[in-house]
Amino acid sequence: MTATSALALGMLPAMTTTTTTDPAYAAGAAIGGLLGLVIALLITGFALRGMFKKAGEPGWAAFVPLYNIIVLLRISGLSPWLVLLSFIPIANVVLFVLLAINLAKVFGKGAGTAILIFFFAVIMYFVLSYGSARYLGREAARHPLGQAPQQGPGAAGSYKADQYQS
């Protein structure tokens, strides 16, 4: 006799599993998740606030979700409309790579900083915000990575299209 026929005849107890969730646990998980979200938004906001101020943007914009991405794209010399790519899988990774490269450019940093921005974004936002990095302007995004003019007559804004051609 097989187990299914024995079960059908009532010889074996039915194996049913019931799970119940205590409403207190569910409420605690919801509150914990919301608290974690608020903490993450505050940490990211304080990280972006310094960069926004260096770029002449309002500091409060760093604390508004989605709008802070639009401002970050504008600071880095990219079109604010690219924020729509952040909702498309794989395209959002490409967008973040472009954003990391352009942020490194407009703050006068090189490829190493762009890689670090990609992998450790919030930490590098704090470094760019409160470190010695200077915002060179949106025009610096047109220069090759790590070759933006730092100061003086060749500073950002005086870019010549054939300046780096061989």
Side-chain angles (χ1 to χ4, degrees):
M1 183 178 296
T2 64
T4 49
S5 61
L7 181 62
L9 294 174
M11 297 169 70
L12 293 173
M15 293 189 206
T16 59
T17 309
T18 58
T19 58
T20 58
T21 304
D22 186 4
Y25 292 143
I31 291 171
L34 286 174
L35 185 63
L37 177 69
V38 168
I39 290 171
L41 287 173
L42 286 174
I43 289 172
T44 305
F46 282 115
L48 291 173
R49 185 173 178 258
M51 285 197 310
F52 286 10
K53 286 191 170 229
K54 283 184 179 183
E57 298 287 341
W60 61 264
F63 296 97
V64 181
L66 200 60
Y67 182 63
N68 59 9
I69 299 171
I70 292 171
V71 174
L72 199 57
L73 288 168
R74 196 169 45 218
I75 286 172
S76 65
L78 295 170
S79 171
W81 285 102
L82 290 176
V83 74
L84 297 175
L85 292 180
S86 65
F87 298 107
I88 302 171
I90 300 173
N92 57 8
V93 176
V94 173
L95 172 68
F96 194 58
V97 168
L98 289 173
L99 183 62
I101 290 170
N102 278 13
L103 278 176
K105 286 179 179 182
V106 298
F107 280 97
K109 302 297 181 182
T113 302
I115 292 169
L116 288 173
I117 290 171
F118 181 76
F119 287 110
F120 306 106
V122 175
I123 295 170
M124 290 306 295
Y125 293 163
F126 273 111
V127 170
L128 292 175
S129 292
Y130 303 108
S132 62
R134 286 187 26 240
Y135 180 70
L136 302 176
R138 294 180 186 114
E139 294 80 24
R142 294 188 215 155
H143 290 65
L145 194 58
Q147 297 181 8
Q150 298 295 317
Q151 59 188 4
S158 61
Y159 174 73
K160 297 177 187 74
D162 60 343
Q163 182 175 3
Y164 295 100
Q165 302 295 327
S166 313

